Amino acid sequence: MTSARELIPAPRTVESPGEGPGGAPGEAPGERTLTLDAGTTLWAAEGTGTTERWLRATLGAAFGLPLRPGPPDAPGAVRLLLDGSLDVEAYRLTAGPDGGVEIRGGDAAGVFWGAQTLRQLLGPDAFRRAPVRPGALPVLAPGTVEDAPRFRWRGLMLDVARHFMPKDGVLRYLDLMAAHKLNVFHFHLTDDQGWRVEIRKYPKLTETGSWRARTKFGHRASPLWEEKPHGGFYTQDDIREIVAYAAERHITVVPEIDVPGHSQAAIAAYPELGNTDVVDTTALSVWDSWGISPNVLAPTDTTLRFYEGVFEEVLELFPGEFVHVGGDECLKDQWRGSPAAQERVRELGVKDEDGLQAWFIGHFDRWLSARGRRLIGWDEILEGGLAPGAAVSSWRGYAGGVAAARAGHDVVMCPEQQVYLDHRQDAGADEPVPIGYVRTLEDVYRFEPVPGELTPEESRHVLGTQANVWTEVMEDASRVDYQTFPRLAAFAEVAWSRLPAPAERDFAGFERRMTAHYARLDALGVAYRPPAGPRPWQRRPGVLGRPIDGPPPNR
């Protein structure tokens, strides 16, 4: 049994017997507890089926309990129901030795987040897949937890293009997101180093574009290589499974198909997509190193029609509101040297190559809008203007998000200097392949997604925030775990809870709650970075990184 004082993310209100709202001390808490056993029944009102299925699959397996269906008034029952008086995604969990457990949600997602809280309250054994203490039954202290999220977009971006993560690993990360009440999975599916989604109209995208001959080990300046092919892709049925699995956990999947830069894998598969008048695109292969490839898409009608075919299939696979088109780090050198691209500049009447990129992104902005979807892209897409419905992922600090919000565009705040989890966690020499600025657990905990210079009206355009996991130097799932955790727990609290201003946040209290949370992560098999530093097998001695000294810019 875990105290409600050890929940992560921190809830808005906790009341226990003898305490007032918010946990104010009063009389001593009551001693009576609620025990779940083989006779405990589960009643689910209409609209709560996702949580009903999840509880039986997780808590039922962890404790060996059947959680059979039963009437709502059965003694000690677990009851799930919707409550229109609660906000969207809000919940109220009430537990008592006589009244059982009741989870009310403002919608189905709210009920699900309440069930995640229930799991935490039952202790770390609730995070295992089979009973480890046969005969020991889960016990719950009486009390009430009321909670609701601060932001509607609480995201994690996972890059599977640089290092492919097999489907089971993706499903595992969806479970980890759900355990932290994160609800948007940004799926980075294409890049220079690999194309990861099956497009039936263009089979070479995966036949050729999903495999590279070798892989740089460490930063791009490293002399080390892994001399074996690397790759893989998700079939369309794999994608459907991932999207359905996410939906059962009230997670929306936002696919990213990167254009017009970060496209060498696509050009290697279909050379006509590249700037054939300045480079022999037939000689290109899927890129085996890191950084920004100069090989970008040609600004032709042929390219537009090709990617319309790609996006037609993407829309069939991903039913969510947003489609991410990348739009970042498009090097313009080939366009400057291409007679065809320069003719396109003159034909369109745009000022320069930046205007050419804005035209390219604007085409797909209009194309997606006509199909009832919304384009979102990295903050470079602001250059040249955007259609009113487009949204921006602000990664180059806060400035892009501020500009977008002031222009009336919705924004997801994910500044590289604050929440890029590939950046190193400590300045110590034992950190594996150290990249970027030091971003400690405390640094992430003190991240504030809403820039202070925005007015209240402008701030309403901040949909939320997202942590990004780029995998150039993460060769396997254990490395992804190490870079992502425990910092994702701090980020989840920032995204969910209404915390004080960064300097006023109780990081010492968060660290105390993390003591309980590490036990949950252990039960889940997460290879996180321990507070004392990396374990011997988590280190990568001799593998070159790219550390940046000093504090990151906060703008």
Side-chain angles (χ1 to χ4, degrees), residues 413-469:
M413 296 302 303
C414 49
E416 174 187 13
Q417 303 89 338
Q418 311 298 328
V419 288
Y420 268 37
L421 301 186
D422 49 312
H423 282 218
R424 57 192 173 136
Q425 304 187 62
D426 189 88
D430 288 336
E431 287 302 307
V433 200
I435 298 294
Y437 295 101
V438 173
R439 293 286 83 192
T440 65
L441 184 67
E442 181 172 1
D443 291 330
V444 174
Y445 191 67
R446 296 192 189 280
F447 163 60
E448 172 49 48
V450 180
E453 61 262 46
L454 293 181
T455 66
E457 179 63 29
E458 291 165 346
S459 296
R460 281 194 276 273
H461 284 292
V462 179
L463 299 177
T465 184
Q466 178 174 289
N468 294 340
V469 180

Side-chain angles (χ1 to χ4, degrees), residues 3-70:
S3 166
R5 309 284 171 240
E6 296 173 328
L7 293 172
I8 289 178
R12 288 190 181 183
T13 302
V14 174
E15 293 185 48
S16 298
E19 294 184 342
E27 299 175 12
E31 296 293 327
R32 300 181 68 188
T33 58
L34 169 68
T35 301
L36 305 185
D37 57 28
T40 299
T41 57
L42 174 59
W43 177 79
E46 184 177 354
T48 64
T50 53
T51 303
E52 178 187 17
R53 290 187 290 275
W54 182 84
L55 282 171
R56 287 203 177 96
T58 53
L59 297 189
F63 297 112
L65 300 178
L67 294 177
R68 296 183 181 90

Side-chain angles (χ1 to χ4, degrees), residues 102-187:
E102 181 178 274
I103 301 175
R104 292 175 173 266
D107 59 359
V111 177
F112 185 73
W113 304 132
Q116 295 293 338
T117 294
L118 174 62
R119 190 188 196 188
Q120 288 197 22
L121 291 172
L122 293 175
D125 285 356
F127 290 81
R128 298 190 178 273
R129 298 185 184 183
V132 293
R133 277 167 265 281
L137 296 172
V139 176
L140 191 64
T144 299
V145 178
E146 293 199 35
D147 206 1
R150 178 184 180 191
F151 293 112
R152 59 172 274 204
W153 186 302
R154 305 179 302 280
L156 174 69
M157 191 227 69
L158 181 63
D159 166 22
V160 297
R162 273 50 176 270
H163 277 101
F164 178 65
M165 180 177 283
K167 180 192 68 178
D168 284 354
V170 175
L171 299 179
R172 173 176 174 264
Y173 258 81
L174 291 170
D175 281 329
L176 291 172
M177 288 178 64
H180 292 83
K181 299 186 174 76
L182 299 174
N183 69 341
V184 178
F185 179 54
H186 178 166
F187 206 7

Side-chain angles (χ1 to χ4, degrees), residues 55 204 215 310 347:
L55 282 171
K204 290 181 183 177
T215 298
V310 169
E347 175 189 315

Side-chain angles (χ1 to χ4, degrees), residues 313-335:
E313 296 192 28
V314 166
L315 295 190
E316 291 176 2
L317 295 169
F318 298 93
E321 177 183 6
F322 288 98
V323 175
H324 206 291
V325 299
D328 63 319
E329 298 179 326
C330 179
L331 300 182
K332 311 296 196 306
D333 293 344
Q334 289 184 359
W335 289 354

Side-chain angles (χ1 to χ4, degrees), residues 216-480:
K216 176 69 71 173
F217 193 38
H219 182 251
R220 61 180 176 270
S222 167
L224 304 176
W225 295 87
E226 186 178 41
E227 296 286 354
K228 67 178 183 181
H230 175 86
F233 67 94
Y234 310 104
T235 68
Q236 293 204 353
D237 280 347
D238 290 338
I239 293 292
R240 291 186 182 97
E241 180 184 359
I242 289 167
V243 170
Y245 195 86
E248 281 281 304
R249 286 146 185 80
H250 298 276
I251 295 170
T252 298
V253 182
V254 176
E256 181 178 356
I257 305 295
D258 221 329
V259 295
H262 287 289
S263 298
Q264 184 166 324
I267 297 169
Y270 290 92
E272 65 270 24
L273 296 175
N275 296 282
T276 57
D277 54 349
V278 292
V279 64
D280 179 9
T281 56
T282 63
L284 294 177
S285 59
V286 178
W287 209 20
D288 57 12
S289 191
W290 315 126
I292 309 172
S293 169
N295 295 296
V296 302
L297 297 174
T300 65
D301 289 341
T302 297
T303 302
L304 295 183
R305 300 293 88 77
F306 182 96
Y307 273 87
E308 286 172 358
V310 169
F311 282 118
E312 283 172 357
E313 296 192 28
V314 166
L315 295 190
E316 291 176 2
L317 295 169
F318 298 93
E321 177 183 6
F322 288 98
V323 175
H324 206 291
V325 299
D328 63 319
E329 298 179 326
C330 179
L331 300 182
K332 311 296 196 306
D333 293 344
Q334 289 184 359
W335 289 354
R336 293 187 185 98
S338 164
Q342 292 304 306
E343 177 60 29
R344 195 64 155 176
V345 169
R346 290 188 291 273
E347 175 189 315
L348 294 170
V350 297
K351 181 180 178 182
D352 54 17
E353 293 77 21
D354 289 338
L356 200 55
Q357 178 172 347
W359 163 80
F360 198 105
I361 296 298
H363 174 85
F364 286 104
D365 189 353
R366 294 185 296 275
W367 190 91
L368 289 166
S369 294
R371 288 153 182 81
R373 305 298 186 90
R374 292 181 66 187
L375 179 146
I376 186 169
W378 303 111
D379 54 56
E380 286 96 329
I381 69 171
L382 283 166
E383 299 159 7
L386 276 180
V392 171
S393 301
S394 184
W395 77 275
R396 295 179 300 177
Y398 288 95
V402 170
R406 287 177 173 167
H409 294 287
D410 288 339
V411 179
V412 176
M413 296 302 303
C414 49
E416 174 187 13
Q417 303 89 338
Q418 311 298 328
V419 288
Y420 268 37
L421 301 186
D422 49 312
H423 282 218
R424 57 192 173 136
Q425 304 187 62
D426 189 88
D430 288 336
E431 287 302 307
V433 200
I435 298 294
Y437 295 101
V438 173
R439 293 286 83 192
T440 65
L441 184 67
E442 181 172 1
D443 291 330
V444 174
Y445 191 67
R446 296 192 189 280
F447 163 60
E448 172 49 48
V450 180
E453 61 262 46
L454 293 181
T455 66
E457 179 63 29
E458 291 165 346
S459 296
R460 281 194 276 273
H461 284 292
V462 179
L463 299 177
T465 184
Q466 178 174 289
N468 294 340
V469 180
W470 300 102
T471 62
E472 288 94 334
V473 299
M474 302 180 209
E475 71 276 9
D476 55 33
S478 293
R479 280 286 291 122
V480 175

Side-chain angles (χ1 to χ4, degrees), residues 460-525:
R460 281 194 276 273
H461 284 292
V462 179
L463 299 177
T465 184
Q466 178 174 289
N468 294 340
V469 180
W470 300 102
T471 62
E472 288 94 334
V473 299
M474 302 180 209
E475 71 276 9
D476 55 33
S478 293
R479 280 286 291 122
V480 175
D481 278 6
Y482 179 91
Q483 291 299 133
T484 304
F485 289 96
R487 292 183 295 180
L488 191 68
F491 172 80
E493 185 149 310
V494 168
W496 176 277
S497 306
R498 293 188 179 274
L499 299 175
E504 299 168 8
R505 292 176 188 172
D506 182 11
F507 179 69
F510 176 77
E511 280 191 305
R512 286 192 295 273
R513 287 183 286 125
M514 278 302 299
T515 301
H517 201 65
Y518 286 124
R520 299 173 194 135
L521 297 179
D522 286 333
L524 288 166

